[in-house]
Amino acid sequence: MGQAVSINDNILLLTDDGPRLKGAVCNDCGTHVFPAASGCSKCTGSSMSEAVLGTEGALWAWTVQGFPPKAPPYLGETDPAKFQPYGVGYVTLEGELKVEARLTEADSKVLKSGMAMRLTTVPIAQDEDGNDIHTFAFEPV
Amino acid sequence: MTDVAIVGIGMHEFGRHEGVSGMEQGAIAVRRACSDAGVAWNDIEFAYGGSYAAGSPDTMVSMLGLTGLQFINVANGCATGGSALSSAYNAIKSGAYELGMAIGFDKHPRGAFSPSGPAGEGRDWYGGSGMALTTQFFGMKINHYMETHGITNRSLAKVAAKAFRNGSKNPMAWRRKPLSEDEILQAQMLSYPLTQYMFCNPGEGGVALVMCKADVAHKYSKNPIFLRASVVRSRRFGSFEVTAPSLAIEHNGGPTIDASKAAFELAGVGPADIDVAQLQDTESGAEVMHMAENGFCEHGEQEAMLANGDTEIDGRLPVNTDGGCLANGEPIGASGLRQVYENVLQLRGDAGERQVPNDPKVAYTHVYGAPGISGVTILTR
């Protein structure tokens, strides 16, 4: 096992207290955005500050990715013989936004809107130095 | 302000055409439309053209003739055809031109549209993580809708089965083999709850429409069709659209609702007046949701409407009579214009085996595209 590294430090921080998502908040109206942006999609203002998003929420909408995505850009397994379907959904982070993420659960009989979820990470590939590239995901609580 | 008429329509068969470029398919559609209107390419004063993957549309003048016309390219994702039409509509309506064309064609590689994520520094985390697929958005949107409004998987299969059944009656369609609801339900699950046969495929084809000022329409056609509204709207804050890494907590119904309302207002008619509708069916769930978003029913009513056969060719509100995107595929530049082509045939009474009965008089089209654009037209005889 290599060392765990973030897929992109601009959006995912791996801290001692666990993973954190990095977005931005509008200084004028308080709207959160992810990923960070230079303008607010609600009030059209352009004064934004960095914001670390919440880590728990409720599943709002979901699907299961049933076939390997194209690579590039996909970094994970694309061999149809080895590919494992994975869940994708939007999780409501109360008072902030709904964030789209991979889900650790991929069973359509288990996934249900409203279920409580918590931020985690999943390894998706190795980089050229042998580190494990982690991306963010939500797991049922 | 002058009214606008469609006096000529031309189409190149949708599907896969080895050895024929997308632009050639567009040029063939243009020639067919000119011939239908009884005009020559020389007579055309302006054109708006759209293509996503088959070259810059204005360069097609080298195939058609260098007449010096105003030719403007349009690009609006899957709503490109609708946007070309809206631009042409406004050019005539403004009084600037008398006779022009809306043209769309495309030729996409096989397989799903390539995902693309938000631009940013460093590694492409969005596509890299296995998100950014348009198919996931469609799966999530209909799945959420089904949980909220009680739509069943069987209804999704009914929509797809209808599309292939209607496509089998359309000589211009790509997929002309009827499939049973069970075959559709049992096919490979691509993005739950949507199976392989519930999704349309990128394809090839071309469509062209000759348009003119309404008061000169009879010069070109014995049965002109009038464009009462052509509206394009983009998304507002809170809408749920394709390839969005995050959404607002607050919810907005989306650009289809806005475009539909504006079009009905402009045309001075309501949903109950529509005799035939072509609604964006990127996948079968989209048709279900767009029935309500366009004002044809309340959310959840689709379940009973589909069970009753209300949207069949001989039903109360025939939807996607030419087989829609599911049976025709989706050459992005041409797709929205295909819907209008079909409605012109229906209003002329020229739709052959798939003709809607009882002499339809008012027809509706709706096209939807990334990153959240809807285009609506309303046509009358």
Side-chain angles (χ1 to χ4, degrees):
Chain A
M1 287 286 283
Q3 195 188 338
V5 295
S6 167
I7 189 166
N8 187 322
D9 293 326
N10 294 312
I11 58 113
L12 173 65
L13 306 171
L14 303 180
T15 76
D16 292 342
D17 295 328
R20 294 289 184 271
L21 293 174
K22 205 165 89 178
V25 62
C26 174
N27 295 326
D28 296 322
C29 77
T31 292
H32 286 73
V33 298
F34 175 82
S38 61
C40 175
S41 52
K42 182 173 189 183
C43 76
T44 74
S46 57
S47 170
M48 308 289 286
S49 299
E50 194 177 303
V52 173
L53 303 180
T55 57
E56 292 194 1
L59 187 60
W60 183 72
W62 59 271
T63 186
V64 178
Q65 176 63 30
F67 62 93
K70 280 184 194 169
Y74 188 48
L75 298 172
E77 183 60 63
T78 54
D79 177 353
K82 293 186 204 157
F83 174 78
Q84 291 292 321
Y86 55 88
V88 175
Y90 284 94
V91 174
T92 303
L93 304 176
E94 215 45 66
E96 296 176 348
L97 45 70
K98 301 176 194 123
V99 63
E100 187 182 13
R102 283 177 72 121
L103 307 174
T104 58
E105 179 61 65
D107 185 346
S108 61
K109 293 180 189 67
V110 174
L111 288 166
K112 198 170 167 51
S113 288
M115 68 194 290
M117 309 293 282
R118 175 196 304 133
L119 184 65
T120 182
T121 67
V122 290
I124 194 157
Q126 288 202 323
D127 69 13
E128 53 276 19
D129 301 323
N131 299 314
D132 290 322
I133 300 170
H134 279 243
T135 190
F136 61 100
F138 278 82
E139 61 184 358
V141 174
Chain B
M1 295 278 268
T2 175
D3 279 331
V4 179
I6 297 174
V7 290
I9 59 173
M11 181 168 182
H12 184 280
E13 291 77 354
F14 277 32
R16 289 278 175 211
H17 308 288
E18 293 294 330
V20 188
S21 75
M23 194 173 289
E24 280 175 73
Q25 295 176 47
I28 289 166
V30 167
R31 293 190 190 107
R32 288 176 178 169
C34 286
S35 159
D36 185 49
V39 300
W41 175 245
N42 275 326
D43 301 323
I44 304 297
E45 299 167 358
F46 75 91
Y48 285 88
S51 159
Y52 181 81
S56 196
D58 62 311
T59 62
M60 75 193 302
V61 294
S62 61
M63 293 177 181
L64 293 165
L66 304 176
T67 64
L69 85 168
Q70 171 190 294
F71 197 126
I72 294 176
N73 297 333
V74 178
N76 260 150
C78 305
T80 291
S83 299
L85 180 64
S86 186
S87 305
Y89 168 79
N90 286 313
I92 292 172
K93 205 161 174 166
S94 71
Y97 292 103
E98 179 172 308
L99 185 72
M101 295 189 86
I103 302 164
F105 57 87
D106 244 316
K107 188 180 182 89
H108 302 286
R110 286 167 202 281
F113 288 115
S114 290
S116 64
E121 301 264 313
R123 201 182 275 122
D124 175 5
W125 58 272
Y126 193 48
S129 298
M131 298 187 280
L133 280 82
T134 56
T135 41
Q136 293 171 349
F137 161 76
F138 293 111
M140 284 189 278
K141 188 176 175 195
I142 186 59
N143 199 23
H144 179 73
Y145 194 87
M146 290 164 77
E147 286 179 320
T148 310
H149 299 293
I151 304 294
T152 59
N153 296 60
R154 176 63 58 175
S155 284
L156 301 182
K158 281 188 191 297
V159 168
K162 170 174 69 69
F164 298 123
R165 200 161 51 242
N166 292 353
S168 73
K169 297 174 184 166
N170 177 4
M172 290 290 183
W174 181 9
R175 305 202 182 278
R176 306 197 52 208
K177 185 176 148 241
L179 287 173
S180 73
E181 290 171 21
D182 286 336
E183 282 174 296
I184 292 160
L185 283 169
Q186 285 153 20
Q188 189 196 350
M189 189 64 80
L190 295 188
S191 195
Y192 186 87
L194 300 168
T195 69
Q196 181 186 350
Y197 296 129
M198 294 178 187
F199 274 106
C200 83
N201 291 89
E204 304 174 18
V207 180
L209 307 174
V210 178
M211 298 155 69
C212 71
K213 283 166 67 173
D215 54 12
V216 296
H218 286 278
K219 207 161 83 180
Y220 303 107
S221 174
K222 65 180 191 310
N223 49 7
I225 301 301
F226 299 97
L227 190 50
R228 301 296 182 189
S230 179
V231 172
V232 176
R233 288 289 182 274
S234 65
R235 67 201 187 281
R236 289 199 276 176
F237 185 73
S239 71
F240 181 16
E241 311 297 344
V242 63
T243 57
S246 70
L247 301 172
I249 300 267
E250 67 187 72
H251 188 67
N252 172 278
T256 294
I257 292 177
D258 291 344
S260 175
K261 278 188 181 151
F264 279 126
E265 197 169 307
L266 201 56
V269 299
D273 299 313
I274 302 299
D275 298 315
V276 54
Q278 316 299 330
L279 306 179
Q280 179 79 25
D281 60 333
T282 318
E283 37 76 33
S284 49
E287 180 175 314
V288 172
M289 294 182 285
H290 290 151
M291 285 164 64
E293 290 181 12
N294 285 288
F296 295 112
C297 63
E298 295 299 319
H299 294 299
E301 267 185 67
Q302 302 96 324
E303 186 73 12
M305 289 176 74
L306 288 162
N308 290 341
D310 286 355
T311 55
E312 300 287 338
I313 286 170
D314 59 357
R316 179 163 64 86
L317 176 71
V319 173
N320 292 333
T321 46
D322 67 349
C325 290
L326 290 174
N328 286 281
E330 192 180 24
I332 281 181
S335 200
L337 298 177
R338 167 189 56 75
Q339 300 175 317
V340 175
Y341 178 96
E342 171 68 5
N343 277 352
V344 170
L345 285 182
Q346 292 287 351
L347 293 177
R348 285 178 176 179
D350 287 344
E353 234 190 308
R354 63 182 192 285
Q355 177 65 46
V356 167
N358 304 321
D359 206 15
K361 292 179 181 60
V362 190
Y364 185 98
T365 70
H366 159 258
V367 65
Y368 169 87
I373 304 164
S374 278
V376 169
T377 74
I378 295 174
L379 303 180
T380 64
R381 284 206 313 231

